[in-house]
Amino acid sequence: MRARFMCVARRISRPTRPRHRTRRPPAGSAAPGGGPAGRAAAYLRRAPGTFLWLAILLVTSVIMHRFSPDVLTGFLQQRSTNIHNLLHSPGRVLLTSALWLDGGGWPLYFALYNVLHVPAERWLGTRRWLAVLTTAHIGATYLSEGVLAVAIHTGAAPHTAVNTLDVGVSYALAGVAAVLTYRLTGPWRYAYALGILAFYGAPLLTSRGFTDVGHFAAALIGFACRPLTRGAPGTTGPPGATAPAAGTGGTTATGAPGSAGGSSALRTAGPGPVTPLPHRARGIRYARRMT
């Protein structure tokens, strides 16, 4: 009996070693010691659509440099979104025209895509980013070519303008540049929007070409894509704004229950199983991110 008592006493007095858990990085994040290759891969993965598009443009740019000027003009003419091609094969030319560059080299567009397309795709997600640029590309193409068709009909432009060469990615770039306005807050948003309007609107006062109309129209379409930005991180209202909680008096910016409905609901709940607080619900947790 005494031996059993001493054995139990030794077990009780033996210090227990604390267990240390190693925190694993979240899925999809690069390890801090991944090196330059790991960081570059993580950077590419966060905007897959942009870099896939850039890769295609790199290949087509190399192909363009292998053609003579006459052959290149005829080759691009078949992929141009001019009036003739839009009447006969609109789907084909709307897609292929966005895979070739007209003016400027690939390094310039590589820089512009990293400044505009990469943050837009990370912010909106690939699907909504594609929706914005596709809407701007198609809408601006039809609006600009429609203006050109009116000019041809009224005699302001020659009839040969139905075969005008029109390829490139600038309409989509203008739409994405405009939608990034809603990524900013405060006075910076209005300053950026005025800069976009001035940049794409100034050529309308001088040259008034149909591509100038297309760029300005693409920017306006980008501004009109604000509904696609709802729910994206960073499109919150004023700092400190509150979001009402369902069935309670509301929640503060930090998620604390309101003083009226929330407290009375907890007081009248009575004994029973513990239920999560209203601000723990997933839908309410992210409600204050919606605009």
Side-chain angles (χ1 to χ4, degrees):
M1 187 70 181
R2 184 177 179 181
R4 182 179 299 180
F5 176 77
M6 293 298 294
C7 182
V8 172
R10 282 195 300 269
R11 290 182 180 178
I12 295 176
S13 61
R14 182 180 301 172
T16 58
R17 297 182 179 179
R19 296 182 180 179
H20 298 280
R21 295 183 179 180
T22 57
R23 188 181 297 274
R24 295 183 179 179
S29 63
R39 289 191 293 269
Y43 182 79
L44 296 176
R45 285 196 300 267
R46 294 183 63 186
T50 298
F51 290 106
L52 177 60
W53 196 3
L54 276 173
I56 295 174
L57 291 176
L58 177 61
V59 174
T60 57
S61 298
V62 172
I63 295 174
M64 289 174 61
H65 285 85
R66 295 181 177 273
F67 290 155
S68 63
D70 295 337
V71 175
L72 179 61
T73 301
F75 181 81
L76 294 180
Q77 192 70 44
Q78 299 176 2
R79 291 152 180 81
S80 172
T81 52
N82 52 42
I83 298 175
H84 178 270
N85 288 339
L86 286 175
L87 291 175
H88 293 85
S89 54
R92 179 183 63 83
V93 295
L94 284 171
L95 175 61
T96 56
S97 65
L99 304 179
W100 301 86
L101 298 177
D102 182 22
W106 185 85
L108 172 63
Y109 283 97
F110 178 81
L112 291 175
Y113 272 45
N114 278 271
V115 172
L116 298 173
H117 279 297
V118 168
E121 185 178 1
R122 290 179 177 180
W123 170 47
L124 297 174
T126 302
R127 291 184 179 180
R128 285 186 285 183
W129 166 77
L130 277 173
V132 171
L133 68 89
T134 301
T135 304
H137 174 66
I138 296 176
T141 296
Y142 275 102
L143 284 173
S144 61
E145 295 296 335
V147 170
L148 182 59
V150 172
I152 294 173
H153 181 73
T154 58
H159 183 72
T160 56
V162 296
N163 293 317
T164 302
L165 183 61
D166 184 17
V167 297
V169 299
S170 55
Y171 290 166
L173 190 66
V176 170
V179 82
L180 280 174
T181 300
Y182 307 113
R183 186 69 176 89
L184 305 174
T185 57
W188 292 107
R189 171 179 293 186
Y190 303 104
Y192 180 82
L194 289 175
I196 292 294
L197 291 174
F199 181 80
Y200 290 110
L204 293 176
L205 304 177
T206 55
S207 60
R208 299 181 182 180
F210 77 97
T211 55
D212 300 324
V213 175
H215 289 124
F216 189 73
L220 295 181
I221 292 172
F223 287 129
C225 288
R226 184 173 185 177
L228 292 175
T229 68
R230 294 175 181 172
T235 52
T236 58
T242 60
T248 65
T251 58
T252 62
T254 57
S259 59
S263 58
S264 61
L266 292 176
R267 285 197 302 268
T268 58
V274 178
T275 57
L277 292 176
H279 67 278
R280 294 295 185 181
R282 183 177 181 84
I284 300 172
R285 180 182 178 185
Y286 295 99
R288 62 190 181 92
R289 298 187 181 182
M290 307 290 287
T291 56

